Amino acid sequence: MLVLTIDQRGSRRDGDRVPELLAAFEDVWPGAVAGSAVPRPEGVVLGFERTVGDEVQGALDDAGLAVAIVLRVLRAGGWSVGIGCGRVDEPLAETSRAASGTAFVLARDAVEAAKSRQRVVPFAVRGAHHQAGLDAEAVLTLVAATAARRTAAGWEAVDAVDAAGPHARQEDVAAAMGITQQAVSQRLRTALYDEARAASGAAARLLLAAQG
């Protein structure tokens, strides 16, 4: 199981952003929030919810979805993110707050590590398989750091391609954006879009291995 623990940074300065984060989750992944009126999406085992203070937690069994959520949260900024990879106690409780097990303990260790000021990206992974967890952390940190250096134009192209879906033609994306196909291609190359996608897939596989 993959447990994501997300803790707000600078809450005294910025106020409580947990409702904002949960609303964003529900908008992108309907049903991903605990207590949602719609069924949980595939891959979400325990819906995301506030656990204590300005902290949010959820449990997944889909590593690709975990990567997508981590990258979206890090892009938004203002959060420390930890992933714990391991077993959970069975029978599984109905909420993240009530659940327990190795993955939850490791997620706590990970989010505390993510808060270190020495980290360029406030993110960490702790796994039952220790080295695989560290490898997943290294790869996903690099993806997030690369994304953080994208320009507004780069993000516009990345978002347009992602929204269009995996089978969309680049010329159609360009027409929707009102720019040339060559301009879209150049923006995606500069943003290291293909490289980041490949690395994200590698990170997902490492997260699975980190479960032990």
Side-chain angles (χ1 to χ4, degrees):
M1 193 76 71
L2 305 173
V3 175
L4 273 65
T5 301
I6 306 166
D7 195 25
Q8 186 178 341
R9 302 163 66 91
S11 55
R12 292 183 180 179
R13 178 186 66 249
D14 300 330
D16 185 5
R17 293 179 59 204
V18 168
E20 170 191 333
L21 180 67
L22 293 177
F25 279 1
E26 191 66 10
D27 182 54
V28 180
W29 300 284
V33 175
S36 174
V38 299
R40 287 195 299 266
E42 185 175 353
V44 177
V45 180
L46 294 176
F48 286 89
E49 62 179 332
R50 185 195 298 268
T51 48
V52 60
D54 48 13
E55 183 180 276
V56 170
Q57 189 173 73
L60 312 174
D61 61 7
D62 183 326
L65 179 58
V67 168
I69 290 173
V70 167
L71 292 177
R72 179 169 288 272
V73 173
L74 292 174
R75 177 181 174 181
W79 302 92
S80 297
V81 184
I83 301 182
C85 312
R87 297 183 180 278
V88 296
D89 291 340
E90 300 285 354
L92 187 64
E94 294 184 359
T95 66
S96 182
R97 281 179 292 183
S100 59
T102 302
F104 288 91
V105 174
L106 291 171
R108 167 59 50 204
D109 292 343
V111 78
E112 290 302 322
K115 295 176 184 179
S116 170
R117 294 184 179 181
Q118 297 180 352
R119 291 178 179 264
V120 174
V121 176
F123 168 71
V125 178
R126 294 294 181 266
H129 188 296
H130 182 66
Q131 189 57 54
L134 295 180
D135 290 346
E137 176 186 303
V139 174
L140 200 45
T141 295
L142 186 57
V143 174
T146 298
R149 287 161 174 74
R150 288 173 179 161
T151 63
W155 272 119
E156 183 184 17
V158 168
D159 290 340
V161 170
D162 285 344
H167 304 298
R169 299 186 307 169
Q170 207 169 88
E171 52 263 40
D172 294 333
V173 173
M177 294 178 65
I179 60 177
T180 66
Q181 181 183 347
Q182 290 76 12
V184 172
S185 180
Q186 178 59 47
R187 290 189 190 187
L188 293 176
R189 284 199 302 271
T190 302
L192 297 177
Y193 177 73
D194 289 335
E195 293 79 2
R197 285 191 64 188
S200 294
R205 292 187 290 275
L206 287 166
L207 287 176
L208 291 177
Q211 295 176 102

